[in-house]
Amino acid sequence: MFFSGKDDYNQALFFQEVFEEYNQRIFLFIAAKVSQRDNALEITQEVFIHLWHYRKELTTEKRDSIIFKTCRQAISRFFKHHPGNPPALFLEELQLHLIDDAEEELEYRLEKESRLEQMQAAIQTLPEKRKYILVANKIEGKTQKQIATEMNLSRTAVENQIQKAMLFLKAKLLG
């Protein structure tokens, strides 16, 4: 999905925080009621797709209630469409998968953190004007036109600075 403005970007960040906070809890909740791990993962994905559509409702104090009601509804739909599936994963199998997932998630987060630190260091090496333009556009969500007006530049000049910054970062991080 394309995020057009700062509000959409903030909503995406908020939803990412919700995902990181609730992903394992939702999976465990669903896996305790569904017989196969793949089915639990599929239902978990459906829950998050549903929650994305109703993400504005998640800011209320009823967040847990909304999330787990959505889980129960998704589980109910699953059993309605798959009546032959026996409920409940074996606890040992579930724990093994959780350990594997936790290790993978830790590796992923450490790698992501390392890439972010490298990106921040590379941004710091940009010339001040180019760095300001890049941060204003890519991080703060300002449009090229807004930056051009603010800095008394043409929109094309701002666009060129962003392109040069991105090429520099790509070369620095990949090369």
Side-chain angles (χ1 to χ4, degrees):
M1 175 173 276
F2 176 73
F3 298 108
S4 59
K6 196 170 187 177
D7 287 341
D8 289 337
Y9 179 74
N10 288 337
Q11 284 184 7
L13 285 177
F14 168 75
F15 190 77
Q16 183 177 353
E17 289 172 10
V18 169
F19 177 82
E20 288 172 0
E21 180 180 345
Y22 284 91
N23 184 39
Q24 192 167 0
R25 287 175 57 194
I26 289 173
F27 175 76
L28 287 172
F29 181 81
I30 293 169
K33 295 168 179 34
V34 178
S35 65
Q36 294 179 1
R37 182 175 187 269
D38 289 343
N39 292 336
L41 288 170
E42 184 179 325
I43 296 168
T44 301
Q45 182 177 9
E46 289 175 19
V47 167
F48 277 106
I49 290 169
H50 178 83
L51 293 174
W52 170 257
H53 292 292
Y54 295 95
R55 64 191 174 275
K56 291 180 182 178
E57 306 298 321
L58 297 177
T59 59
T60 68
E61 59 277 350
K62 298 179 183 177
R63 183 183 305 167
D64 277 6
S65 173
I66 291 169
I67 289 173
F68 289 101
K69 179 179 181 182
T70 302
C71 289
R72 285 189 292 277
Q73 290 170 341
I75 291 166
S76 177
R77 276 193 308 276
F78 173 80
F79 283 122
K80 182 178 179 183
H81 294 356
H82 303 86
N85 266 7
L89 257 176
F90 294 109
L91 188 57
E92 290 174 15
E93 180 185 348
L94 177 61
Q95 288 173 336
L96 289 175
H97 288 299
L98 286 177
I99 291 169
D100 290 345
D101 289 348
E103 288 173 0
E104 286 177 22
E105 185 174 336
L106 178 60
E107 277 183 37
Y108 170 76
R109 285 184 184 214
L110 290 173
E111 184 178 316
K112 185 177 175 181
E113 197 173 296
S114 173
R115 285 194 315 261
L116 184 59
E117 287 172 3
Q118 290 172 348
M119 175 71 77
Q120 289 171 339
I123 289 172
Q124 293 305 315
T125 65
L126 289 169
E128 286 302 314
K129 183 177 170 182
R130 192 170 292 163
K131 177 174 35 172
Y132 177 82
I133 291 170
L134 179 74
V135 169
N137 180 254
K138 299 297 182 187
I139 296 174
E140 295 173 9
K142 291 183 181 179
T143 65
Q144 292 177 4
K145 186 176 180 178
Q146 289 172 321
I147 298 167
T149 303
E150 179 183 323
M151 296 185 73
N152 199 23
L153 298 170
S154 70
R155 193 195 62 73
T156 305
V158 170
E159 182 180 2
N160 288 338
Q161 289 297 314
I162 293 169
Q163 184 178 18
K164 287 178 182 179
M166 296 300 286
L167 288 172
F168 172 81
L169 293 174
K170 185 176 179 182
K172 185 105 170 159
L173 297 172
L174 298 178

